[in-house]
Structures are given as structure tokens and as C-alpha cells.
Amino acid sequence: MSNEISISDAEWVVMDVVWTRSTARAADVVDDLAQSQSWNHRTIRTLLARLVEKGALHAIAEGHRYVYSPAVTRQRCVRVESRSFLEKVFAGDVGTLMLHFARESRMSAVDIQRLKQMLEE
């Protein structure tokens, strides 16, 4: 069994709140997402429970409530998602991915220079 944690798009939104806050009660997450998402509080609590089950969040009981904190870093999840995307969309071919984004993105002169430096290294 892999120790890599894959999270869904909806779970990513919840994780973003907890990563930003460092710790959060379910009510904090609900409040933060109330304006940007059309989810009810039960949906958010279900997502929190799934993230705990997957090992992405820690949950510590404080009375009748839980305080959630990240069990994984954003960087680790970005790495997993990046690998998944690379494999799924570009069959693992980094060169094709780079060419695609170079052609399809609006890169600033600074971005182009940074890319050149990275390639030279």
C-alpha cells in the first residue's frame, strides 16, 4: 500500500482552508467556505471525516468538537497530484508537458528566463 495520499477536488478545497489556518474546527471550515462553495455543513463534515480517514488530517477531540490540523503538507499533495496529472494526461512524458505549457501559456519574460535557467542547470 502506497503512503501517498490522493485527495479529490472537493477535499482539496477543504485542505486549503486547514493548510491556511494551521488548525481549524469544523465550524471554521464551514464559515470559510460558506461564501465560495454551495455546500451545506454536513457535506463539509463528511469531507473532513474522509480526509481524517485517508490520513490527510489529524482530528483532536476538544469536548464535543474536533480540531483539525494537516497531517500532510501542501507540497506533498502537490507532488502527488503533479505525478498523477503527468501520468494521466502526458503518459509520464515531462518533455511533452513542458512543450504544451510553453505553447499554451502566456509566459512573461521573467518566466521564460527562469525556465531557461532551470533547463541549463
Side-chain angles (χ1 to χ4, degrees):
M1 182 177 184
S2 173
N3 63 358
E4 299 295 344
I5 297 170
S6 179
I7 59 176
S8 70
D9 292 347
E11 291 167 342
W12 192 277
V13 172
V14 172
M15 285 298 296
D16 192 47
V17 172
V18 182
W19 282 321
T20 300
R21 287 179 162 269
S22 297
T23 61
R25 295 174 301 119
D28 298 328
V29 179
V30 170
D31 289 346
D32 284 4
L33 296 178
Q35 293 180 20
S36 64
Q37 304 296 321
S38 60
W39 303 332
N40 68 38
H41 67 93
R42 285 187 293 257
T43 300
I44 294 169
R45 290 176 192 277
T46 297
L47 290 168
L48 287 165
R50 284 184 192 163
L51 289 162
V52 170
E53 188 176 302
K54 287 182 175 187
L57 288 177
H58 295 295
I60 299 170
E62 284 189 358
H64 295 296
R65 298 178 182 183
Y66 286 95
V67 176
Y68 298 93
S69 62
V72 293
T73 63
R74 180 189 305 265
Q75 180 180 2
R76 180 175 168 192
C77 289
V78 166
R79 190 177 315 117
V80 170
E81 293 300 317
S82 297
R83 286 184 197 142
S84 173
F85 176 77
L86 178 63
E87 288 298 322
K88 182 177 12 178
V89 178
F90 294 98
D93 187 342
V94 175
T96 302
L97 171 131
M98 298 284 289
L99 288 171
H100 169 77
F101 282 110
R103 287 183 184 131
E104 297 297 324
S105 301
R106 291 190 177 130
M107 296 178 67
S108 69
V110 172
D111 291 335
I112 293 169
Q113 186 59 39
R114 287 176 45 205
L115 181 58
K116 284 180 182 179
Q117 286 176 329
M118 190 173 77
L119 290 171
E120 288 173 5
E121 293 172 4

